[in-house]
Amino acid sequence: MPINGCARWVGAAIVASALAVCGADTGIAAADDKALSLQMPSAEGRSLRLSDLKGKVVLVKFWASWCPQCQEAYPKLAELQRELRPRGVEIVAISVDEQRKNATAFLATHPSDLLVTFDPRGRVLEAFGASAIPASFVLDRSGTVRYRHSGYTAESLAAYRREIETLLSLQD
């Protein structure tokens, strides 16, 4: 259920707590091996673990079809993916929609080549230590979370690009 249009809480969070951090930093913690190894279905019908993408710089974006910030970010992420995929970057858009049909309807009107997966119970979101969406994580080639973001603003895309470029410039 959206709270003030910008957050979805996983677990038993109370509304007062949700409103207190809506749009603010959510205290996102680093992902552990569990987060990388959780299996998710993809929009193409395959199964994916984030650990399958080791060797690439990965931007993980948790989103939902009802989230206004997510709706704004989605096409911009698709453009970024087209630009950076040839350089070894993968953007994974993880939908936390409880009803997959809602995410599927959104995707039908926003075609892209983003790697889309589904996390309706929020297990992966929770394993990353996030409690609200949108939440984003930039992982290095070894799968280590190097950058984390909560929310989405006009400056977010520039920050993702800067962080990805930094990680692409590092030698393994």
Side-chain angles (χ1 to χ4, degrees):
M1 167 178 188
I3 298 177
N4 199 19
C6 68
R8 176 185 182 275
W9 289 87
V10 177
I14 59 174
V15 173
S17 296
L19 293 173
V21 298
C22 188
D25 191 312
T26 59
I28 297 170
D32 59 14
D33 287 338
K34 177 185 175 192
L36 300 178
S37 64
L38 286 171
Q39 198 166 317
M40 300 171 284
S42 74
E44 293 82 31
R46 295 178 289 131
S47 180
L48 176 80
R49 290 181 178 93
L50 292 172
S51 60
D52 297 339
L53 301 173
K54 284 190 179 178
K56 296 183 178 196
V57 173
V58 179
L59 170 60
V60 176
K61 181 69 162 184
F62 290 96
W63 67 283
S65 61
W66 47 259
C67 167
Q69 291 175 331
C70 304
Q71 293 167 3
E72 179 185 346
Y74 195 89
K76 294 173 181 162
L77 294 173
E79 290 174 23
L80 188 64
Q81 176 66 83
R82 278 190 298 278
E83 177 188 336
L84 296 176
R85 182 175 274 153
R87 296 179 57 203
V89 175
E90 192 69 53
I91 299 177
V92 181
I94 303 176
S95 170
V96 295
D97 278 284
E98 292 175 0
Q99 303 273 331
R100 186 168 172 169
K101 66 181 180 180
N102 296 335
T104 301
F106 177 86
L107 295 170
T109 61
H110 297 83
S112 76
D113 61 351
L114 291 175
L115 181 52
V116 177
T117 63
F118 303 97
D119 182 30
R121 293 187 189 130
R123 293 179 319 136
V124 180
L125 179 72
E126 189 174 74
F128 267 86
S131 57
I133 63 159
S136 306
F137 300 84
V138 182
L139 286 62
D140 67 16
R141 290 181 182 105
S142 69
T144 301
V145 175
R146 296 297 180 164
Y147 304 97
R148 57 193 58 81
H149 304 269
S150 59
Y152 180 83
T153 66
E155 293 80 32
S156 296
L157 197 64
Y160 302 152
R161 180 183 303 281
R162 196 171 43 252
E163 294 160 1
I164 289 168
E165 290 292 344
T166 297
L167 294 176
L168 287 172
S169 71
L170 298 176
Q171 298 298 321
D172 290 326

